[in-house]
Amino acid sequence: MQLHHLRMTAIGPFAGTEVIDFSAVGRAGLFLLEGPTGSGKSTIIDAITFALYGKVAQESADAERIHSHHADPREIPVVTLVFETQSGLYRVRRTPRFERPKSRGTGLTVQQPSVKLWRITSPDDLEGGELLSANIGECDDEITRAVGLTRAQFVQTVILPQGEFATFLRARSEEKGKLLEKVFGTAFFRRVQDEIVESGRLAQARRQGAVTEIRDCIHAFAVSAAIEADRRDSLVALAQATPGDLDDELAQVVDELATRERHAAKASREAIEAHQQMADMVSDAKLRRQRRQRLLELQREDESLGARAVEFDRLRAAVARARQARPVAGAVRTLAQSEAALKRAEAAVATARARVLPEQRDLTTAELRVAASTTREVVGALTSAAELEGALELRRTRLGELRARADRTRAALGSVTTELESLPASLAAHEKSLTAARHLHSLLEGRTSAAARAHKQLEAATQEAAARSRLPGAEERAAGALIALRAGEARLASLRQARIDDIAGELGLTLEDGRPCPVCGSLEHPAPARPTPDAVTSEQVAEQEERVEALRAEVTAVTDRLAGLRAEIAGLAVAADGLDVDAATAAAQRAAAELAASLQAADAVASSEATLAGLRLRSAELSERSAELTAEVARCEHSATELGERLGSDTAVVETARAGHPTVSARRAALVEVAARVDALVDALSRRDAARASVAEDEAARDSDLAAAGFADVGAWLAADQPVEWIAAREKEIADFETACTRVKAGLSGPELADVQLDTLFDDIDQMVTLERAAKQDMEAATSEHGSLRSQVKRTKDRVAEIRAALDRHATCIAETADAVRLGQLVAGNGDNQLNLDLAKYVLIRRFAEVLAAANTELARFSGGRYSLEHTDAKQGNAKSGLGVRVQDMHTNQVRDVGTLSGGETFYVSLSLALALAEVVRSESGGVDLGTLFVDEGFGTLDPDVLDDVMHTLEGLRAGGRTVGIVSHVTELKSRVADRIEILVNEDRTSTLRVTA
């Protein structure tokens, strides 16, 4: 990582804008950042860290302290940093959370932090570039990804701030591991380790699955074989211990089941034979009893048929006479029909004779035909008069319609005339209304503005009232927060004082005879101080400091909200123009009413204009309509006069044709009816004569058929005649009787019943049936038992095959997963791994050993060969082992913990480790390029010889293209480092920069 450009405005003691071009000042590879204590040297490092991570370098410091209190309160504090990593060239611009004066009114408002990140193509591009994001979270993630280090790792490797220079040296193993993994890019080995371990875990799971499958198969075998739980569990244990012996145990269980199945098969066969014998005996007894019953039934039926033989002889004779009478039935029916037709014809003649005129009743058929013809001629002569009579009513209706139409037209003409006369007054009234509406409409724009102003005033007054109701609560909360803060600060002050008083006791615990006191240097300690029982620890002070910081934040928040609320009330009062809610409501209602009137006037203008246009159009239409109605009245009166004259002459002709009838049509209809009745009488007389002739012919044919059939008269025939259905039914009864006689005789004489003895005794069939059912139940039970055992043997053999297959799959699984399981255990630090180190930690240890080797080269120069660093994997408390560091002291030939080093020793040991880390990483291509290193203070703790060695080492870094910035106020360094960033303190205690490159 390389820094190119830093720009700060209103940051720390720098009230204005300061610019540092690191490309120029760091060209020699070494530059000095110097200035008086408190002038702002560490502020520059804080600005770099803040620009990248939104926090300052020291973990315990608040990022908001970076805001300059010397700058104009309206000035925005901002840091812009251009930096380059392996991912590209970036520019980041970040502002902290700060307070600024409000734009309107008095008081302060809180400005939240912001950040923007660009990707650029040139280090000198301070304005353009591709904006990547303006979201704080997204920018922080992208910068961390690009740099490759978190803030904590950054200040341990790139920027070593005051108080945290030796953090990496004293860090725990897991913390060193996380940093080294990031720096060296060894996450690949962690991922490889995780994948191999996961593969081993999956292989173990696969093995366990195979074992589970064997156990499940044995359980299924136990269910099929119905063995007890203890024996099942012994089989499971045998499968896990010695799978080779399991097959013999399974075969023994199957043989036991097969033996039981054979015994059951023999019992089943014996039961089937016993049941068959008993069933045959029952069947034979039932058959003999059924034959005896059949013989008795046939004998009884034969006696019944013999008793009915005489009855069926008489029935046969009756059927024969009925069949003899059937040929005469047709002639008898025909004669009956002819006689019925003659009776109907004579009745029709009587009816028709009664309907004709009295003078026509005794006429002959020829005379009746002449009378009908004469009547029809008169009917034909009346046709034209009937048509004229039908038209008379239509003409009268037409005359009435013409007269009514004339009356309606006259009425319509009167209405049109009345309306036409009233239009001038209506036109004048609407024109007056239109003028008034246009005046109201002209006020619309002004009233709209007035209504909007009144509405805004009402909203402001309403919001002001609501805000004033919240003011007492806000003031109460602010007062409570201030009281709590004062109490917390008082408590913090007392704890700090107590802590200072107890430090002497803690120092007394470290004193040893013969070793100098770190305060006075004395080798004798006659009365060392001791901690009091209720001593205050630094943790208690830190906890109280955190509480006070939280209380301060709370006070800031509530006071900001109170100031904001008061400013909001003042602004709303101005917006409401001093009106309260009631007054603003009344004003808004008045303005709304006036605006509504103007809006309605706009609608009235359009309506009135449309109405006037309609009235003028109506006047023209009425004038035209009046002329049309006058002409129509004249036409209707003329047509009515002509139609009345024609109607009178035609009415006289029709009266003559009626000849006393109501209408001509009525007279004509009466004559048509007379002619029709005469025709009906003629037809009735003709049909009667034809019916008389048919009766005579049918009587002759009947008498001939009676003689041919052998009947003396009609009475004899009627006694013998029967319907066809009766004959068929009786013949069927006769046939059924003859069939039954034949069947009974055949049964009695057949061989089936020839040897039946009616007096023979039979066995107890019911008892035999009971025995047969018991034998059947025994047979079914034995058969079921045999079938169940046969199925059980088959299922058990199938389960044995499944167990053998599962054992084969388990053996295959063991062979296939052996490498994966062993490799997973080795990589995870288990199994055959004698070092008990996982792969990722092993790689880090090897890389860390390289770092320690490089650090010892510089450390030997700094310490005059006294100290060297060595790796240790010893545990400290509950911490994990693997990346521990110890110091080998060549003067005392002892191994020391890094915590026993003095301040100067800690500085150059930590510097050696930091330089070595940067050198090793730089020599690699897969890690983070630590191209820039800042060291904040520590040089004042070095003696001249060690300082000279350190400077020679730092100056030698330029050959590798790296840059080291030294932050110090040590005067001797000014003569050693030519490139400097000098901080000048002004009279007003603000600072400015002077860059010498």
Side-chain angles (χ1 to χ4, degrees):
M1 175 183 175
Q2 292 287 346
L3 303 180
H4 291 288
H5 187 90
L6 175 66
R7 182 184 182 92
M8 304 179 296
T9 300
I11 299 298
F14 304 102
T17 298
E18 303 295 336
V19 177
I20 300 176
D21 185 356
F22 289 108
S23 300
V25 76
R27 187 175 294 114
L30 185 67
F31 65 89
L32 176 65
L33 179 58
E34 62 95 10
T37 300
S39 61
K41 300 186 297 298
S42 297
T43 300
I44 295 177
I45 291 183
D46 284 342
I48 294 172
T49 309
F50 173 76
L52 292 173
Y53 298 102
K55 296 181 181 180
V56 296
Q58 286 187 327
E59 180 67 31
S60 60
D62 191 345
E64 294 184 20
R65 77 162 193 174
I66 202 171
H67 181 203
S68 176
H69 297 290
H70 302 283
D72 187 338
R74 292 174 299 224
E75 187 73 49
I76 299 176
V78 60
V79 178
T80 302
L81 177 66
V82 177
F83 63 96
E84 184 175 6
T85 70
Q86 294 173 337
S87 300
L89 195 60
Y90 299 88
R91 185 178 74 253
V92 59
R93 181 182 183 276
R94 195 184 292 267
T95 64
R97 181 182 182 273
F98 66 97
E99 294 180 342
R100 62 171 178 79
K102 293 185 176 180
S103 301
R104 293 183 295 178
T106 60
L108 299 175
T109 183
V110 176
Q111 191 72 29
Q112 296 300 325
S114 66
V115 64
K116 289 185 178 180
L117 179 65
W118 293 267
R119 186 188 298 277
I120 57 179
T121 57
S122 171
D124 299 326
D125 186 359
L126 302 180
E127 299 296 335
E130 175 192 357
L131 180 63
L132 299 180
S133 178
N135 179 271
I136 293 178
E138 294 177 357
C139 290
D140 290 346
D141 293 342
E142 178 61 23
I143 291 173
T144 302
R145 185 199 62 78
V147 175
L149 298 172
T150 64
R151 191 208 69 85
Q153 296 165 347
F154 184 78
V155 299
Q156 290 178 5
T157 55
V158 178
I159 293 180
L160 305 179
Q162 290 181 359
E164 298 188 16
F165 192 81
T167 301
F168 177 73
L169 176 64
R170 296 170 178 168
R172 293 182 300 175
S173 290
E174 53 266 29
E175 295 173 351
K176 288 192 185 79
K178 293 178 181 178
L179 172 62
L180 293 175
E181 186 173 294
K182 282 265 189 177
V183 170
F184 287 117
T186 58
F188 165 76
F189 294 97
R190 173 70 62 184
R191 291 194 298 272
V192 170
Q193 172 184 318
D194 292 342
E195 291 179 3
I196 294 176
V197 170
E198 177 64 15
S199 298
R201 188 191 64 79
L202 294 177
Q204 289 283 18
R206 183 181 169 190
R207 287 185 174 185
Q208 184 59 41
V211 172
T212 302
E213 182 186 10
I214 294 173
R215 186 184 65 249
D216 293 343
C217 290
I218 292 176
H219 280 212
F221 170 81
V223 173
S224 298
I227 62 178
E228 60 277 5
D230 293 342
R231 191 172 184 184
R232 177 200 64 196
D233 295 340
S234 65
L235 291 177
V236 172
L238 186 62
Q240 296 176 354
T242 54
D245 298 336
L246 180 63
D247 197 61
D248 294 338
E249 292 292 331
L250 297 178
Q252 181 179 353
V253 174
V254 173
D255 289 342
E256 293 174 358
L257 284 176
T259 300
R260 290 175 54 195
E261 188 269 337
R262 288 193 297 272
H263 294 165
K266 179 180 179 182
S268 175
R269 288 193 298 272
E270 293 174 351
I272 291 173
E273 293 174 356
H275 171 260
Q276 187 61 46
Q277 292 176 358
M278 185 58 68
D280 292 343
M281 293 173 62
V282 171
S283 176
D284 182 64
K286 287 182 177 180
L287 179 60
R288 287 187 282 109
R289 185 171 64 177
Q290 290 173 357
R291 291 171 64 192
R292 182 174 182 276
Q293 288 293 117
R294 177 62 175 163
L295 177 60
L296 293 174
E297 290 173 359
L298 288 176
Q299 289 177 349
R300 287 193 295 269
E301 189 176 0
D302 183 55
E303 292 177 358
S304 175
L305 291 175
R308 298 175 60 192
V310 176
E311 176 186 349
F312 275 92
D313 290 340
R314 289 195 296 269
L315 185 59
R316 289 189 188 93
V319 169
R321 287 194 301 273
R323 284 203 168 276
Q324 185 179 357
R326 292 311 300 161
V328 184
V332 172
R333 283 195 301 272
T334 301
L335 177 59
Q337 293 172 356
S338 297
E339 289 175 345
L342 177 59
K343 290 179 180 178
R344 288 194 298 272
E346 289 177 346
V349 168
T351 301
R353 197 184 297 277
R355 296 183 62 192
V356 300
L357 297 174
E359 61 270 18
Q360 296 175 340
R361 293 174 181 170
D362 296 330
L363 296 179
T364 63
T365 302
E367 291 173 344
L368 289 172
R369 289 193 176 97
V370 172
S373 177
T374 302
T375 302
R376 289 190 179 90
E377 290 175 358
V378 175
V379 170
L382 293 175
T383 300
S384 59
E387 294 175 353
L388 183 61
E389 182 183 38
L392 287 178
E393 189 62 30
L394 292 176
R395 292 179 181 179
R396 293 190 189 96
T397 302
R398 175 61 178 164
L399 179 60
E401 291 176 351
L402 286 173
R403 290 171 179 170
R405 182 177 179 184
D407 294 339
R408 289 194 302 274
T409 305
R410 290 189 193 95
L413 180 59
S415 300
V416 169
T417 303
T418 301
E419 185 179 355
L420 192 59
E421 291 172 351
S422 66
L423 279 179
S426 179
L427 285 170
H430 281 86
E431 287 175 351
K432 182 177 179 180
S433 299
L434 177 60
T435 301
R438 284 174 175 167
H439 173 69
L440 284 175
H441 181 58
S442 65
L443 303 176
L444 177 60
E445 183 175 356
R447 289 182 173 181
T448 301
S449 301
R453 287 194 301 274
H455 181 67
K456 290 181 179 179
Q457 290 174 350
L458 176 59
E459 287 183 344
T462 303
Q463 293 174 4
E464 179 189 358
R468 287 187 182 278
S469 66
R470 299 195 304 271
L471 184 59
E475 291 174 343
E476 183 179 352
R477 287 190 293 274
L482 286 172
I483 292 172
L485 175 59
R486 292 190 188 100
E489 289 176 340
R491 171 63 177 164
L492 177 60
S494 64
L495 287 176
R496 283 175 174 170
Q497 184 60 43
R499 176 59 181 161
I500 292 172
D501 295 339
D502 290 333
I503 288 177
E506 294 179 2
L507 289 174
L509 293 176
T510 63
L511 297 179
E512 297 179 7
D513 292 337
R515 296 178 64 87
C517 174
V519 177
C520 64
S522 174
L523 298 178
E524 297 180 357
H525 318 293
R530 291 292 183 264
T532 61
D534 54 348
V536 177
T537 65
S538 59
E539 288 79 5
Q540 290 176 306
V541 176
E543 290 177 359
Q544 185 62 24
E545 288 175 347
E546 292 178 358
R547 295 192 191 98
V548 171
E549 286 300 323
L551 290 173
R552 286 173 181 164
E554 177 65 20
V555 169
T556 301
V558 297
T559 54
D560 287 347
R561 289 196 290 270
L562 179 59
L565 182 58
R566 288 172 175 166
E568 180 185 357
I569 291 173
L572 291 173
V574 173
D577 200 14
L579 298 176
D580 58 11
V581 176
D582 295 336
T585 302
Q589 290 175 348
R590 288 195 301 273
E594 293 174 354
L595 176 60
S598 293
L599 291 173
Q600 292 175 356
D603 298 335
V605 168
S607 175
S608 297
E609 289 176 347
T611 302
L612 281 173
L615 289 174
R616 294 188 181 99
L617 179 61
R618 181 63 176 167
S619 177
E621 291 176 349
L622 289 175
S623 298
E624 183 179 355
R625 180 62 177 163
S626 177
E628 293 176 353
L629 291 174
T630 302
E632 180 67 18
V633 168
R635 286 195 298 272
C636 289
E637 291 177 346
H638 177 70
S639 298
T641 302
E642 289 183 350
L643 184 59
E645 292 175 355
R646 289 197 302 272
L647 185 60
S649 62
D650 291 341
T651 300
V653 173
V654 170
E655 286 296 331
T656 302
R658 286 176 179 172
H661 289 79
T663 62
V664 176
S665 296
R667 182 189 174 192
R668 186 170 176 274
L671 292 175
V672 170
E673 179 64 22
V674 169
R677 290 178 178 179
V678 171
D679 291 340
L681 179 56
V682 172
D683 292 340
L685 291 172
S686 298
R687 286 195 296 273
R688 184 195 62 185
D689 295 341
R692 286 176 177 171
S694 295
V695 168
E697 291 178 359
D698 291 340
E699 284 180 348
R702 184 201 62 187
D703 294 341
S704 175
D705 290 342
L706 286 174
F711 293 101
D713 50 25
V714 175
W717 177 81
L718 289 174
D721 184 49
Q722 295 292 343
V724 176
E725 293 80 5
W726 183 89
I727 295 173
R730 302 292 83 76
E731 287 179 344
K732 184 177 183 306
E733 290 179 6
I734 295 170
D736 291 343
F737 176 77
E738 293 175 349
T739 300
C741 292
T742 303
R743 175 177 53 77
V744 170
K745 291 178 180 179
L748 291 173
S749 60
E752 181 182 356
L753 303 178
D755 58 345
V756 176
Q757 303 295 326
L758 295 179
D759 55 352
T760 303
L761 297 178
F762 291 95
D763 299 330
D764 189 350
I765 296 180
D766 294 337
Q767 182 180 3
M768 295 175 65
V769 169
T770 301
L771 294 175
E772 186 268 337
R773 289 174 180 172
K776 182 178 181 182
Q777 291 176 355
D778 294 341
M779 176 196 68
E780 291 174 348
T783 304
S784 175
E785 174 69 14
H786 175 236
S788 175
L789 285 172
R790 184 172 59 246
S791 300
Q792 186 178 9
V793 170
K794 183 180 182 304
R795 288 195 306 270
T796 304
K797 291 180 178 179
D798 294 341
R799 296 297 180 266
V800 170
E802 293 173 359
I803 292 173
R804 290 168 179 167
L807 289 171
D808 293 340
R809 287 191 293 271
H810 177 261
T812 303
C813 176
I814 293 296
E816 292 176 349
T817 58
D819 294 339
V821 171
R822 182 175 180 277
L823 185 58
Q825 292 174 344
L826 288 174
V827 168
N830 302 319
D832 298 336
N833 189 329
Q834 299 178 358
L835 298 177
N836 292 328
L837 292 174
D838 58 40
L839 175 63
K841 183 167 290 185
Y842 175 76
V843 172
L844 287 179
I845 289 175
R846 294 298 300 271
R847 304 312 303 274
F848 189 50
E850 297 176 13
V851 173
L852 293 181
N856 284 332
T857 302
E858 303 297 338
L859 183 57
R861 184 184 308 134
F862 295 160
S863 64
R866 177 180 180 180
Y867 294 125
S868 65
L869 299 176
E870 65 179 29
H871 164 252
T872 176
D873 58 358
K875 292 186 177 181
Q876 295 181 357
N878 294 326
K880 294 183 178 179
S881 64
L883 295 175
V885 179
R886 295 185 301 188
V887 178
Q888 177 72 38
D889 189 343
M890 302 301 180
H891 288 185
T892 62
N893 198 24
Q894 293 181 352
V895 176
R896 297 169 55 185
D897 186 85
V898 293
T900 63
L901 297 174
S902 66
E905 292 170 341
T906 299
F907 171 76
Y908 63 67
V909 169
S910 300
L911 180 61
S912 301
L913 194 58
L915 295 177
L917 181 63
E919 180 62 31
V920 172
V921 171
R922 187 174 181 82
S923 65
E924 301 292 338
S925 60
V928 179
D929 184 5
L930 305 180
T932 302
L933 179 67
F934 283 88
V935 182
D936 189 357
E937 296 298 349
F939 291 90
T941 62
L942 305 179
D943 58 57
D945 294 336
V946 175
L947 177 62
D948 187 63
D949 292 335
V950 170
M951 293 305 300
H952 279 301
T953 300
L954 295 178
E955 290 171 356
L957 295 177
R958 71 184 69 183
R962 280 174 293 164
T963 301
V964 178
I966 301 174
V967 184
S968 180
H969 59 276
V970 178
T971 305
E972 186 179 352
L973 291 177
K974 294 183 180 180
S975 61
R976 292 176 173 271
V977 183
D979 295 340
R980 296 196 299 274
I981 301 173
E982 186 177 0
I983 302 176
L984 306 177
V985 180
N986 302 318
E987 293 181 357
D988 58 357
R989 305 307 300 169
T990 61
S991 298
T992 58
L993 296 179
R994 182 170 61 192
V995 179
T996 302

